[in-house]
Amino acid sequence: MVEYDVIIIGAGSIGVPTALATSMEGLKTLVIDSFPSVAQGDNKHAIGGIRATHSLKSKVWLCQRSIEIFSTWKKTHGDDIWWIQGGYTFLAHSEQDVQMLKNTVNKQRDFGLNIRYINVEKIKQLVPGINELGLLGGTHSPEDGNASPLLAMHSIYRKSKEYGASYNFNETVVNFSIEKNKITGVKTTRGKYTSRFVINAAGANAKKIGSLGGFSVPVEPDSHEAGITEPVKNFFSTMVVDIKPEIDSIYGNSKNYYFYQNKEGKILFCLTPDPRIKGTDRQETSLFLPQVSKRMVSILPRLRNIKIRRTWRGLYPMTPDGNPIIGKVNDYEGYINAVGMCGQGFMLGPGVGELLSRTITEKLTQKDYEILNELSQERDFGKEEELK
Ligand SMILES: Cc1cc2nc3c(=O)[nH]c(=O)nc-3n(C[C@H](O)[C@H](O)[C@H](O)COP(=O)(O)OP(=O)(O)OC[C@H]3O[C@@H](n4cnc5c(N)ncnc54)[C@H](O)[C@@H]3O)c2cc1C
């Protein structure tokens, strides 16, 4: 029987870049996924936003590394993943949000982020036609960007195979092989595989995977909808994040609304329902379109006649504090969590993949220890990040 160095459960936003990082390090890597091909879980539901603009140090650092990888991907590996470095623009419509954004900017600059508070005039240059009514200012982080989750994951997948990673599709992990307190491999619908390490990168199914080995993995998915318009001439390149909550007694309240224009000129958009819609429902609703189009036209009136091509619904694998859980667990050898990516798995993927690889090869840096400490399962889950 082949002995792997690492088995990764899940060929999604996290599993695939992790397989690239481990195979580049010469680790014998197997990725197992229930779907017939790569990135068919929630990776393909992501709209493609990539930012290091977080308020938690570990996520800032992980995503800064992801941005280095995404932004140089075409030059390094030849494939166009539709990377656009248009930045992120958060909008403030209340004095409270102005203060919150200004405070966050100071903290983010301390973490090494290129971000600043900007006035309405600057926002108008970044987003021509934006509705100025009630707009007080915002932040802009020019190094953030966007890319196609499917193009990116397919390209990373091909590259990882060139480095020797193996993928078994149409195969479901149903149990772990455990000897005393050590995970020695997995059992699947097709057979048994042994390995030194098993990484749980099962996205919305992470809790169930954890429970197979008796690990408590506090990941509860919730449903989010998104959509895409017809293409129009490119007129802005930043991701716009409207953090003003929307009260809508007919179609439902919502928190953040965010959108950008991709390389083909199509506008991709998403919003955060309030309250959260917990569960695993991936069926799109008829409420989303009227709910979101009201916000779209209110922020950017020139979109009033644009046609929406398609909407879809996917899951955020949520943790109690909205931050991922990454790293080994106490009491069991050989098991590693890479779970609870919430609404940020695509942007975290490449940075997380390299961190996991260094965890296995024991090449962790001082910065890595700080990241792992902040994202450890042993942390206090009571504190939420300011800028989720
Ligand atoms: C509408 C929407 C918009 C989003 N926009 C963004 C965005 O702009 N930027 C961003 O960074 N993130 C975004 N996200 C979040 C992002 O999609 C997720 O955080 C990310 O896909 C999670 O990555 P993952 O690898 O953990 O899970 P997935 O990509 O879902 O991969 C998990 C894989 O594990 C497999 N699996 C599960 N159980 C088993 C098993 N027992 N055996 C074998 N295989 C198994 C699944 O089949 C799946 O393929 C968005 C999500 C949604 C829903």
Side-chain angles (χ1 to χ4, degrees):
M1 193 193 286
V2 187
E3 159 123 12
Y4 291 94
D5 291 310
V6 54
I7 290 176
I8 300 166
I9 307 172
S13 307
I14 298 298
V16 177
T18 302
L20 175 62
T22 54
S23 58
M24 281 177 90
E25 272 297 309
L27 297 169
K28 201 165 175 46
T29 302
L30 172 66
V31 187
I32 302 174
D33 202 293
S34 313
F35 279 114
S37 62
V38 68
Q40 296 302 309
D42 282 302
N43 179 76
K44 72 174 180 186
H45 299 132
I47 65 168
I50 298 167
R51 63 178 161 111
T53 314
H54 303 279
S55 46
L56 200 72
K57 187 172 62 181
S58 48
K59 290 204 295 190
V60 172
W61 286 346
L62 286 169
C63 289
Q64 278 181 324
R65 179 60 190 141
S66 289
I67 288 174
E68 276 172 12
I69 295 171
F70 283 125
S71 63
T72 54
W73 189 263
K74 189 172 175 196
K75 198 166 159 213
T76 315
H77 302 290
D79 288 337
D80 187 359
I81 59 169
W82 290 1
W83 165 256
I84 298 177
Q85 197 144 35
Y88 261 62
T89 305
F90 282 72
L91 307 178
H93 287 93
S94 69
E95 280 305 331
Q96 197 188 344
D97 285 344
V98 169
Q99 267 327 309
M100 188 274 288
L101 289 178
K102 283 185 173 169
N103 292 343
T104 317
V105 162
N106 290 336
K107 205 164 150 187
Q108 287 167 326
R109 291 177 70 88
D110 288 346
F111 298 150
L113 270 178
N114 176 4
I115 182 164
R116 64 192 175 97
Y117 190 82
I118 53 173
N119 61 22
V120 175
E121 284 312 305
K122 178 69 187 159
I123 295 176
K124 279 161 62 183
Q125 287 165 19
L126 289 165
V127 193
I130 193 157
N131 186 355
E132 287 177 63
L133 196 70
L135 185 60
L136 300 176
T139 60
H140 185 59
S141 44
E143 286 164 30
D144 294 334
N146 55 75
S148 157
L150 269 174
L151 286 177
M153 228 35 71
H154 277 260
S155 180
I156 299 173
Y157 161 70
R158 286 193 296 274
K159 197 40 66 185
S160 71
K161 291 212 318 179
E162 276 173 37
Y163 279 97
S166 305
Y167 285 79
N168 287 6
F169 292 113
N170 281 318
E171 187 164 350
T172 297
V173 172
V174 292
N175 216 334
F176 290 105
S177 305
I178 306 179
E179 284 170 22
K180 292 194 180 145
N181 280 354
K182 187 169 171 29
I183 300 290
T184 57
V186 296
K187 295 172 185 160
T188 73
T189 40
R190 285 205 245 144
K192 257 173 88 169
Y193 304 89
T194 59
S195 103
R196 292 197 296 123
F197 290 93
V198 177
I199 298 179
N200 180 355
N205 202 30
K207 182 177 183 173
K208 188 168 169 210
I209 291 291
S211 71
L212 299 175
F215 316 117
S216 142
V217 174
V219 173
E220 302 287 351
D222 59 20
S223 300
H224 290 253
E225 289 184 84
I228 189 165
T229 68
E230 64 183 336
V232 289
K233 193 174 171 193
N234 281 81
F235 68 100
F236 69 110
S237 61
T238 184
M239 173 77 82
V240 183
V241 187
D242 174 23
I243 56 176
K244 172 172 47 61
E246 177 82 11
I247 309 294
D248 183 334
S249 57
I250 302 176
Y251 300 111
N253 299 343
S254 51
K255 290 186 182 167
N256 296 349
Y257 159 58
Y258 41 107
F259 61 98
Y260 75 97
Q261 190 172 25
N262 76 2
K263 203 170 171 189
E264 289 185 314
K266 296 173 183 166
I267 293 164
L268 285 110
F269 53 88
C270 193
L271 60 68
T272 310
D274 185 19
R276 284 174 60 193
I277 302 169
K278 293 185 189 174
T280 54
D281 195 348
R282 288 193 176 93
Q283 185 69 50
E284 59 276 12
T285 68
S286 54
L287 292 177
F288 175 63
L289 213 43
Q291 183 188 31
V292 79
S293 36
K294 199 169 125 193
R295 288 192 74 164
M296 258 175 119
V297 177
S298 144
I299 287 284
L300 203 49
R302 63 193 292 180
L303 294 181
R304 75 176 76 82
N305 290 322
I306 203 164
K307 291 186 186 63
I308 290 169
R309 284 238 169 122
R310 181 169 79 83
T311 63
W312 62 89
R313 196 182 201 189
L315 305 177
Y316 282 14
M318 293 302 293
T319 57
D321 61 1
N323 295 315
I325 302 171
I326 299 173
K328 296 178 181 175
V329 297
N330 289 342
D331 305 328
Y332 271 96
E333 265 180 65
Y335 172 83
I336 301 177
N337 271 321
V339 301
M341 301 297 148
C342 306
Q344 296 148 4
F346 174 56
M347 62 184 84
L348 283 160
V352 168
E354 289 188 349
L355 172 66
L356 294 171
S357 175
R358 290 192 295 274
T359 302
I360 293 173
T361 54
E362 298 184 352
K363 290 182 184 165
L364 291 171
T365 63
Q366 186 51 42
K367 224 171 166 177
D368 291 338
Y369 283 112
E370 285 186 50
I371 295 173
L372 289 169
N373 185 39
E374 207 165 57
L375 301 180
S376 147
Q377 177 143 358
E378 309 305 318
R379 68 178 182 259
D380 170 9
F381 282 97
K383 290 187 253 160
E384 275 205 4
E385 192 187 7
E386 288 148 50
L387 198 66
K388 271 221 291 209

